[in-house]
Amino acid sequence: MPLVDNHRISNSFLEINIDSIIHNYQLINNKVGNTECAAVLKADAYGMGASVVAKALDKVGCSTFFVATIDEGIELRACFSKNENQIAVLSGLLEGSEDIFYSNKLTPVLNDTEQIKKWAIYNKQKKISAPSILHIDTGMNRLGLTINELYDIIKNPTELKELHVEWIMSHLACGDQPRDIMNEKQLSVFLNAKKEFPNVKASLANSAGVFLGQSYHLDMVRPGIALYGSGSGSIPSKPLKQVIKLYSRILQIRTLSTGASVGYGASYRVSEATRVATVGLGYADGYLRSLSNCSWVFFNGLRLPVIGRISMDYITIDITQIASEKIKTGDFIEIIGDKFTLDDLATVANTVPHELLTRLGTRHHRIYRNTNNISK
Ligand SMILES: *Cc1c(COP(=O)(O)O)cnc(C)c1O
């Protein structure tokens, strides 16, 4: 049973255990030894609440944070009472954003030659030396300087000389597939590029990269999903602690007779008398529509199939195996928990835990547990 907040009557409750996030951070931090452990808090800390997560990690010594957008960076800056924490914005220096970066003490991740020039000119004009991160694309082909662009700049380093490059970084395409040769290739390209920046610290690994071995750790690792408890792909899930639990209420129960259908498109038909419960969450709450007719939920340890299509606000489940006096309207169904984790649900939905977690959204009533460690 969830520890329900008595003051709230909500369809569903998302429990977020802050101690588990801290445990996962410290586990990775210990694993990488002298390498710095940053934290990736983009998309509102993967839906967990960037402000709460940032304050908790700040308290245990994390001092570098990555977000995706400028807005996320501004919000995060407001969470910290001290100015020393570094906040890096992965999407880069958008046209005209120099002042915003500088006044909010955000570090731009420079993704192309234009951005390098702009940041260099801005620093020169202001007579400042604000830090930046140079993003080198080593094979992901998404963001960052291509290797050719990089060597062009190195040959003609006018702008580079004006810049305070604090870090170089790159991003792994196949970190979650430890045997893929792409990992070694990207590492080797990155290490070659690193030789051109002898006094600059380097970062390559996301969560999966942390578990590829020490050679991938370099000066800083950038875990995201592992902090939030996911151990899929190359990440061993055992030592990580689960962070979220999701419960939702039964809103109505009915008995269907043989041949009746359930939900939109009448996509599920019962082959015998079946007791069906309607539960108060749907795809608008992040319970993906692709889970229609193929997922499970749990009640008192029993596994119950999700039948029919997922609709915007509701799912329907088969509760026939539970005696009618043992389950009633208002009871809570475990959607994600000890029996069925975030990774289990992501596997069934044929997606990554990152997508599920960020989609869980804001409609659930969030309950934070173990927040006593959060700095005020
Ligand atoms: C999202 C992201 C990360 C974190 O990835 P996880 O798989 O969640 O650990 C690290 N680095 C970059 C550049 C990213 O975009």
Side-chain angles (χ1 to χ4, degrees):
M1 261 301 114
L3 295 141
V4 168
D5 176 345
N6 288 325
H7 304 293
R8 278 295 287 245
I9 310 274
S10 295
N11 279 0
S12 54
F13 290 86
L14 180 67
E15 249 186 71
I16 301 170
N17 191 326
I18 294 299
D19 273 356
S20 297
I21 297 180
I22 291 176
H23 168 93
N24 295 338
Y25 176 80
Q26 289 175 328
L27 186 107
I28 296 170
N29 197 22
N30 290 337
K31 184 173 175 60
V32 299
N34 289 329
T35 294
E36 180 176 347
C37 187
V40 180
L41 303 190
K42 57 196 186 191
D44 200 25
Y46 293 44
M48 302 291 92
S51 151
V52 182
V53 175
K55 286 174 184 168
L57 292 178
D58 173 62
K59 191 89 182 273
V60 294
C62 180
S63 60
T64 304
F65 300 86
F66 284 86
V67 294
T69 68
I70 298 172
D71 287 347
E72 290 173 357
I74 295 170
E75 269 181 39
L76 194 55
R77 178 51 75 205
C79 298
F80 297 127
S81 50
K82 57 179 192 279
N83 244 347
E84 294 88 77
N85 286 341
Q86 185 165 47
I87 300 172
V89 178
L90 289 163
S91 300
L93 193 72
L94 297 188
E95 183 80 43
S97 64
E98 291 91 330
D99 270 329
I100 301 177
F101 271 91
Y102 183 60
S103 57
N104 290 282
K105 210 171 170 285
L106 305 177
T107 304
V109 173
L110 303 174
N111 288 317
D112 62 32
T113 325
E114 264 320 288
Q115 294 183 359
I116 291 176
K117 278 188 193 152
K118 283 206 192 94
W119 196 238
I121 292 168
Y122 183 78
N123 276 269
K124 203 171 172 185
Q125 280 171 351
K126 283 248 164 187
K127 298 194 172 60
I128 52 169
S129 178
S132 60
I133 299 178
L134 213 58
H135 187 181
I136 302 165
D137 193 326
T138 53
M140 175 86 172
N141 289 321
R142 186 178 69 172
L143 279 180
L145 292 164
T146 65
I147 294 301
N148 287 342
E149 281 169 329
L150 176 71
Y151 286 102
D152 281 350
I153 290 173
I154 289 166
K155 265 188 255 154
N156 186 7
T158 347
E159 275 93 21
L160 220 46
K161 271 196 218 136
E162 308 282 346
L163 274 188
H164 169 197
V165 177
E166 189 171 353
W167 298 92
I168 56 166
M169 65 165 270
S170 191
H171 191 44
L172 294 168
C174 305
D176 57 353
Q177 291 137 257
R179 274 181 288 276
D180 199 306
I181 52 163
M182 185 92 179
N183 293 316
E184 280 171 42
K185 279 191 186 159
Q186 284 193 269
L187 177 61
S188 137
V189 173
F190 191 54
L191 290 178
N192 275 330
K194 182 172 151 54
K195 286 182 199 147
E196 309 288 340
F197 299 87
N199 300 315
V200 177
K201 297 176 285 182
S203 173
L204 177 63
N206 58 352
S207 301
V210 168
F211 296 92
L212 289 177
Q214 210 195 338
S215 56
Y216 288 82
H217 297 168
L218 304 174
D219 300 304
M220 174 169 67
V221 294
R222 309 183 306 269
I225 196 71
L227 301 176
Y228 312 113
S230 164
S232 63
S234 66
I235 311 170
S237 58
K238 271 257 166 66
L240 293 172
K241 281 197 179 155
Q242 289 300 307
V243 170
I244 62 161
K245 288 184 176 169
L246 178 60
Y247 296 93
S248 192
R249 277 182 214 272
I250 295 180
L251 302 178
Q252 205 173 15
I253 293 175
R254 71 188 70 246
T255 302
L256 300 187
S257 42
T258 310
S261 69
V262 183
Y264 282 122
S267 68
Y268 187 89
R269 232 166 251 286
V270 301
S271 55
E272 57 190 348
T274 301
R275 276 173 39 255
V276 175
T278 302
V279 179
L281 91 169
Y283 59 75
D285 304 285
Y287 200 79
L288 307 180
R289 194 166 174 278
S290 59
L291 291 164
S292 297
N293 284 313
C294 67
S295 188
W296 292 278
V297 296
F298 282 79
F299 182 77
N300 283 344
L302 293 170
R303 190 168 101 147
L304 307 170
V306 171
I307 57 173
R309 289 212 184 127
I310 310 301
S311 45
M312 189 183 291
D313 317 298
Y314 313 110
I315 63 172
T316 31
I317 62 175
D318 182 343
I319 59 165
T320 312
Q321 61 176 296
I322 300 170
S324 53
E325 69 276 13
K326 294 228 163 109
I327 189 164
K328 61 183 190 310
T329 301
D331 281 351
F332 278 95
I333 298 292
E334 179 184 314
I335 310 292
I336 294 174
D338 298 332
K339 284 270 181 189
F340 199 56
T341 64
L342 173 69
D343 288 334
D344 293 333
L345 191 62
T347 305
V348 175
N350 196 18
T351 185
V352 286
H354 307 62
E355 186 189 18
L356 260 188
L357 205 53
T358 53
R359 291 284 185 93
L360 287 178
T362 51
R363 193 148 72 140
H364 304 293
H365 180 52
R366 283 186 195 168
I367 301 174
Y368 288 103
R369 314 225 63 90
N370 302 314
T371 49
N372 41 337
N373 263 327
I374 294 177
S375 52
K376 292 289 176 315

